[in-house]
Amino acid sequence: MFRLSPRLNLRQAAAVEIEVLGNGGGLGEPTTSIRVGDEVLFDAGSGLEALEDGRVQQIRRVYLTHAHADHISALPLLIETLFEEGPGPGVEVFGLPEVLNVLRTHVFNGLVWPDFEKIPDEKKGFLRLTELACGKSISDPSGISLTPFATRHGVPSCGYGITFPSGRRLALTGDTGYDEVLVESLNELGGLDVLCTECSYAVGDTEKAMRFGHLTPELVQRIVAGLRVSPKEVWVGHFKPRFKGVVEAELRDSGFIIPSPGYLRSF
């Protein structure tokens, strides 16, 4: 007697694993890097250094929010590590034009680090830098789609609206201050399953947060209140070490999630 197979759940079949490798905002804690699926990273801070070898070898694409050191510190090591593994497809790094210019001028310049855009030869480098534009959606080969949006951080920066094959949505702001344009960009993404943002300073340091393009618990709450559809979850991190205890106390009753390194979810 044959038994009918249960109907395939497409959401489960298309699940993509997310791993928060780093979520810290200063020395002593793994800084920002998030693995999405097997081949994709968002930012490449020191948290990337904890990624196990087998997974490192699968990374093919890196999407950067901006070029500050705590978000790119492990990128040169990643490129060299994968290059030394032997012939392969190389690594493609995406970012705003100004962000990629920083990489070319100040990192992969033959002085700070080898120019992997020209290695092994000038016509076909191991590193490929691809420009993004805010508001222009792209599709990643992994099946996720991305929409970069402008953020407020004092240097050229962007966040990403990410839509998974399951239909779930996550917005990753990277480092940002409060901005009504940011809130409207988040609204344009549609209802979010997760808003992943930062919270560097305590409420008493709002002036400093606004000056340097960062958030406080009160400013995160203001962003959430401005969304037409409340996100199902809000993830926060990037606490400045000096203020971490105070910020965590201020967030205690917020219902927000503070992902620690190694935090895993499937979307």
Side-chain angles (χ1 to χ4, degrees):
M1 179 177 181
F2 293 101
R3 179 174 298 173
L4 293 176
S5 299
R7 180 174 295 177
L8 180 64
N9 186 322
L10 294 179
R11 287 182 176 268
Q12 292 178 353
V16 177
E17 187 176 72
I18 293 181
E19 181 179 9
V20 177
L21 301 171
N23 193 27
L27 193 63
E29 294 192 356
T31 60
T32 306
S33 188
I34 298 175
R35 175 179 65 81
V36 176
D38 294 327
E39 298 185 348
V40 174
L41 292 174
F42 284 87
D43 284 337
S46 64
L48 173 57
E49 297 175 25
L51 188 61
E52 59 190 54
D53 289 345
R55 287 205 175 275
V56 168
Q57 293 164 4
Q58 298 180 67
I59 299 301
R60 295 291 177 264
R61 294 171 299 284
V62 182
Y63 294 87
L64 296 177
T65 59
H66 63 295
H68 277 161
D70 56 327
H71 292 253
I72 67 166
S73 63
L75 181 62
L77 298 173
L78 172 70
I79 304 301
E80 182 179 45
T81 297
L82 293 175
F83 177 78
E84 294 297 343
E85 289 289 332
V91 178
E92 190 167 10
V93 175
F94 298 79
L96 299 178
E98 300 90 338
V99 172
L100 301 186
N101 184 57
V102 170
L103 296 183
R104 288 191 176 103
T105 304
H106 301 292
V107 182
F108 299 101
N109 58 7
L111 297 172
V112 173
W113 211 249
D115 183 356
F116 280 99
E117 280 194 286
K118 299 176 181 178
I119 299 172
D121 62 65
E122 295 202 7
K123 292 184 179 180
K124 189 176 182 181
F126 189 79
L127 170 64
R128 302 182 303 282
L129 300 179
T130 300
E131 294 183 359
L132 298 175
C134 289
K136 186 175 181 180
S137 299
I138 65 170
S139 296
D140 183 86
S142 66
I144 64 174
S145 62
L146 308 98
T147 303
F149 56 87
T151 53
R152 180 182 173 275
H153 191 46
V155 297
S157 61
C158 70
Y160 293 94
I162 308 167
T163 302
F164 296 87
S166 64
R168 300 183 71 188
R169 294 191 185 99
L170 180 150
L172 171 68
T173 71
D175 292 2
T176 188
Y178 177 82
D179 190 293
E180 291 183 2
V181 175
L182 168 66
V183 174
E184 185 53 36
S185 294
L186 292 171
N187 276 320
E188 290 175 359
L189 296 175
L192 297 172
D193 290 276
V194 175
L195 170 62
C196 179
T197 191
E198 65 124 276
C199 193
S200 297
Y201 289 99
V203 171
D205 291 285
T206 298
E207 183 178 347
K208 185 183 291 185
M210 295 293 286
R211 176 184 176 187
F212 293 114
H214 287 294
L215 296 173
T216 67
E218 188 274 331
L219 292 173
V220 176
Q221 294 278 17
R222 193 186 301 181
I223 289 173
V224 173
L227 299 180
R228 289 189 284 271
V229 179
S230 295
K232 295 177 182 177
E233 296 178 358
V234 178
W235 300 358
V236 292
H238 200 270
F239 310 139
K240 295 294 183 182
R242 179 183 172 190
F243 308 105
K244 180 180 178 182
V246 176
V247 174
E248 288 180 333
E250 292 176 347
L251 290 168
R252 189 164 294 136
D253 298 322
S254 66
F256 297 166
I257 294 171
I258 304 173
S260 56
Y263 184 79
L264 285 170
R265 291 286 293 276
S266 291
F267 280 72

